[in-house]
Amino acid sequence: MDITIVWAAIIAFGLALYVVLDGFDLGIGVLFPLFPRDDERALMMSTVAPVWDGNETWMILGGASLYAVFPMVYSVVLSALYLPLLLMAICLIFRGVAFEIRARSRRTRHLWDLAFICGSAGATFFQGVVIGSWLSGIDVEDGRFAGHAFDWLSAFSLFTGCALVVTYALLGCAWLIMKTHGDLQRRLYRVMAPLGVLELALVAVVSVWTLSLSPMFDARWFHSNLLPWLAPVPVLVALIAYGMRKAILHRHDTLPFVLMLAFVLLGFAGLLVSVWPCAILPGVTIWDAAAPRSSQLFTLRGALIVLPVIVAYTTLGYRVFRGKTRHADLHYH
């Protein structure tokens, strides 16, 4: 068994769960400006109150794993993308503080709402910038970052940042539809339809733009033996979009969120297919960037203990707090 591939799979699994779980969490903050009433905002925050901080565990797991198993990726990416990662961290801090304090300070609640909105949207945007910058490629020489401090700043990375904001907002909208009822839920259905159309347009642009970044992407999708497996992807996207439209028209509670999970995971899988087996684009593979096998084995023993625990308490948290969130259950009012 190739332990480097095992570790790549573990990190990919953790990142996928982070995108899904913290995605709808951040998306709620992005949607805040569309719902100005204080009672509605309190209800929206209460839908994620029991689980929101645990969602970010997966980001910590990913960062710690990169540091231990793929130290070159950790050092190069941190050096190349230091500014957007720092800004993302600052936004997450503001968002976390606002989440806890807004309910305890009525006089300044509007300022904490603003901090929650800016923190959520800012963290999402800079996550998208990091993804776009990574896809665009990072200059590496002798295992070190060889570019400039603002190489990450490009039209493509800014566009992917905006696209991720819309993606998380749509994911958050689907989550809130599943967790709320009444007038708020009806208004969320109305918001979801135009957001879905915008999301499809942005995904199409990002997909075409990504293919133009490197011949590697074009060759992977159109000139490789994976073509029979990749050809159904646009069909699956169309089926998900059609299912989403029907789910909104028929006012399904849970189906929009399930379909959004499928959509996001399909996009994540497409990203992995595009870059495999590179850890740093354009040409540093996971084996080039990996720590010695002995270090990987030692760290894997700890991961085999920690990972099931994280999965267990995450699953338990969502199971215990499943179902609709009602005003009587408000945590943040």
Side-chain angles (χ1 to χ4, degrees):
M1 180 185 297
D2 191 330
I3 192 171
T4 302
I5 294 180
V6 172
W7 262 114
I10 290 173
I11 292 174
F13 173 72
L15 289 176
L17 282 181
Y18 172 75
V19 168
V20 167
L21 298 180
D22 211 38
F24 68 76
D25 189 344
L26 290 166
I28 290 173
V30 176
L31 292 170
F32 248 42
L34 302 179
F35 300 91
R37 283 171 43 187
D38 188 64
D39 61 328
E40 291 179 339
R41 290 183 171 183
L43 182 60
M44 291 165 70
M45 295 183 82
S46 290
T47 64
V48 292
V51 296
W52 76 274
D53 46 356
N55 292 341
E56 295 179 354
T57 304
W58 296 102
M59 179 172 63
I60 297 170
L61 176 68
S65 299
L66 279 179
Y67 180 79
V69 182
F70 298 104
M72 183 192 297
V73 177
Y74 187 89
S75 62
V76 168
V77 169
L78 190 64
S79 300
L81 305 176
Y82 180 79
L83 285 175
L85 288 171
L86 176 63
L87 292 170
M88 181 190 76
I90 292 172
C91 288
L92 288 173
I93 291 170
F94 270 96
R95 177 179 177 275
V97 171
F99 202 108
E100 298 295 339
I101 292 183
R102 76 174 299 275
R104 295 171 172 79
S105 179
R106 292 186 177 275
R107 289 194 307 170
T108 58
R109 182 169 294 180
H110 63 289
L111 294 177
W112 292 114
D113 281 350
L114 182 62
F116 185 67
I117 293 167
C118 293
S120 300
T124 304
F125 175 75
F126 286 114
Q127 285 180 23
V129 167
V130 167
I131 295 171
S133 303
W134 180 64
L135 285 172
S136 299
I138 298 174
D139 291 332
V140 180
E141 291 182 7
D142 299 325
R144 298 180 180 181
F145 175 56
H148 300 284
F150 289 94
D151 283 352
W152 57 272
L153 190 59
S154 68
F156 178 72
S157 66
L158 296 177
F159 191 86
T160 54
C162 295
L164 193 65
V165 170
V166 176
T167 302
Y168 281 7
L170 194 58
L171 193 57
C173 193
W175 166 264
L176 289 171
I177 284 173
M178 184 174 67
K179 298 291 288 184
T180 61
H181 61 285
D183 181 62
L184 176 58
Q185 187 189 54
R186 287 190 290 272
R187 291 165 61 200
L188 286 162
Y189 279 120
R190 291 197 295 269
V191 168
M192 193 157 190
L195 268 181
V197 174
L198 178 59
E199 172 70 5
L200 289 175
L202 291 173
V203 167
V205 173
V206 169
S207 300
V208 173
W209 201 339
T210 301
L211 292 174
S212 69
L213 293 176
S214 170
M216 168 188 165
F217 298 142
D218 181 71
R220 178 63 54 86
W221 281 88
F222 297 108
H223 306 286
S224 72
N225 55 6
L226 294 174
L227 186 59
W229 297 94
L230 299 177
V233 170
V235 178
L236 292 174
V237 171
L239 288 174
I240 290 172
Y242 176 76
M244 186 72 71
R245 179 176 179 274
K246 298 293 286 185
I248 294 172
L249 287 175
H250 293 287
R251 295 298 192 259
H252 287 287
D253 279 4
T254 306
L255 189 55
F257 185 66
V258 173
L259 290 172
M260 270 307 300
L261 290 182
F263 180 79
V264 171
L265 291 175
L266 184 63
F268 187 79
L271 176 65
L272 294 181
V273 169
S274 298
V275 303
W276 177 261
C278 289
I280 304 172
L281 296 166
V284 180
T285 68
I286 59 173
W287 298 279
D288 296 330
R293 179 179 172 83
S294 58
S295 298
Q296 294 185 58
L297 283 171
F298 177 79
T299 312
L300 184 60
R301 295 188 184 98
L304 292 177
I305 297 172
V306 172
L307 196 59
V309 173
I310 299 176
V311 171
Y313 80 64
T314 300
T315 304
L316 180 63
Y318 281 94
R319 181 173 176 79
V320 169
F321 295 101
R322 67 188 182 277
K324 297 288 186 181
T325 302
R326 305 181 186 277
H327 284 279
D329 304 323
L330 287 182
H331 297 267
Y332 292 88
H333 57 80

